[in-house]
Amino acid sequence: MPDSSSSPGPQFSPWREKSWRVIFLSDTPAGRAFDVVLLVLISASVLVVMMESVEPLRLEHAQAFQISEWIFTLLFTIEYIVRVLVVRQKRRYVLSFFGIVDLLSLLPTYLSLFLVGSHYLMIIRVLRLLRMFRVLKMARHFGQANVLLNALRASSPKIAVFLFAILTLVSIEGTVMYLIEGAHNPGFSSIPQSIYWGIVTITTVGYGDVAPLTVIGKILASFIMLTGFSIIAVPTGIVSAELGKELSQVRMDRRRCGECGWTGHDPAAKFCKHCGHQLGD
């Protein structure tokens, strides 16, 4: 997926044009090398954030982690400033997805000077790894991702109804379990606690921290567990059906009608479906 800032724009000085091509494109050896180095730095910075959350490592290497975070942040700050300086359409880049992610990935370290613990938000840098699709020439796969997104969008009303039905079911089951087990089992001390148990049980997660003690409670729990297996298949079937419909649709090409300007025609079409004008190759 190319950055929105890589579209044609006004011409600048040769050094700026060369820098823009290296930073925002990957069609040159220097551009590919820049992206690979950038991805390595991003991966290393994310790894540092993860390792710092491990208490023994944080206590033993606190200073090293702090120095590393500031080195990465300064490097990414310089990179962001250079991007803004050489980009052809500054406003478009700054407000684009990658522009916002680039900026947000810098802020946590600076905020940590005022807010304790905010530097852990640097994990947002992992979103910058999406640039690897451009480096690996996999931008075309973003178009295929639209098929899945369209299927999810089409199935969202059905899934919403399904989730509401499940929420209603576990609320009833949780209330019944509270009435059955509440007087004998501290794990069902309230209706919300019982509903929590119902959600954990019907999704077949089963932490085991709460279990029924009475015979009737165990029978109802068995019914909920068996119901959970069949329920899991429902959203999968809904999405699969919509995905099948999406894949079965004719994929339109990007030819543009020279008469009416309509874009998107059947690959085998020779004439525009809107005005009848003959299409070019």
Side-chain angles (χ1 to χ4, degrees):
M1 180 174 66
D3 293 344
S4 60
S5 50
S6 60
S7 56
Q11 296 298 313
F12 298 107
S13 59
W15 75 266
R16 187 173 179 181
E17 197 70 17
K18 183 177 179 180
S19 300
W20 171 83
R21 181 167 294 278
V22 169
I23 294 174
F24 284 97
L25 300 180
S26 57
D27 58 351
T28 62
R32 286 190 290 272
F34 174 84
D35 284 337
V36 170
V37 171
L38 180 61
L39 291 175
V40 171
L41 290 175
I42 294 170
S43 301
S45 68
V46 171
L47 183 62
V48 167
V49 174
M50 292 180 177
M51 292 299 99
E52 190 182 4
S53 66
V54 181
E55 187 172 358
L57 294 178
R58 183 174 67 251
L59 295 176
E60 185 176 354
H61 306 288
Q63 187 175 5
F65 283 134
Q66 188 174 16
I67 293 174
S68 300
E69 288 173 5
W70 277 105
I71 290 175
F72 286 127
T73 299
L74 291 175
L75 289 175
F76 293 142
T77 301
I78 294 172
E79 178 223 351
Y80 181 77
I81 293 173
V82 173
R83 283 181 182 274
V84 174
L85 289 176
V86 304
V87 70
R88 294 177 172 183
Q89 300 179 39
K90 291 181 171 55
R91 180 182 177 86
R92 187 174 181 181
Y93 163 68
V94 170
L95 298 179
S96 68
F97 171 77
F98 280 116
I100 293 173
V101 170
D102 291 345
L103 178 60
L104 291 179
S105 67
L106 303 174
L107 296 181
T109 305
Y110 295 112
L111 286 176
S112 66
L113 296 174
F114 311 99
L115 301 175
V116 178
S118 60
H119 65 286
Y120 288 117
L121 295 175
M122 285 193 301
I123 199 69
I124 198 174
R125 286 176 184 167
V126 73
L127 292 176
R128 302 192 71 197
L129 292 175
L130 289 173
R131 295 182 187 275
M132 73 173 62
F133 285 95
R134 185 185 68 192
V135 181
L136 300 176
K137 301 295 185 181
M138 293 173 66
R140 61 185 181 276
H141 292 300
F142 278 94
Q144 299 299 322
N146 288 332
V147 175
L148 180 58
L149 290 176
N150 290 337
L152 291 173
R153 191 177 296 112
S155 59
S156 59
K158 301 184 184 72
I159 293 179
V161 172
F162 167 77
L163 291 176
F164 179 78
I166 294 301
L167 182 60
T168 302
L169 179 62
V170 296
S171 297
I172 295 173
E173 292 172 341
T175 303
V176 173
M177 288 297 293
Y178 168 71
L179 295 175
I180 295 173
E181 295 281 332
H184 314 282
N185 193 333
F188 297 88
S189 58
S190 65
I191 291 179
Q193 176 69 19
S194 301
I195 292 175
Y196 159 77
W197 172 86
I199 293 173
V200 170
T201 303
I202 205 168
T203 55
T204 69
V205 176
Y207 290 128
D209 54 341
V210 179
L213 299 177
T214 65
V215 175
I216 299 177
K218 291 179 180 179
I219 293 174
L220 180 58
S222 300
F223 171 76
I224 297 174
M225 294 173 195
L226 293 174
T227 304
F229 285 108
S230 58
I231 286 176
I232 289 175
V234 174
T236 304
I238 293 174
V239 175
S240 298
E242 294 296 339
L243 186 59
K245 291 179 184 179
E246 185 69 22
L247 291 172
S248 65
Q249 294 179 358
V250 176
R251 292 288 174 267
M252 300 299 179
D253 59 29
R254 302 300 299 170
R255 286 182 296 171
R256 184 176 184 273
C257 176
E259 183 69 20
C260 68
W262 182 265
T263 301
H265 298 85
D266 188 301
K270 295 183 179 180
F271 299 91
C272 177
K273 63 182 179 180
H274 281 263
C275 68
H277 184 74
Q278 186 172 4
L279 297 172
D281 295 332

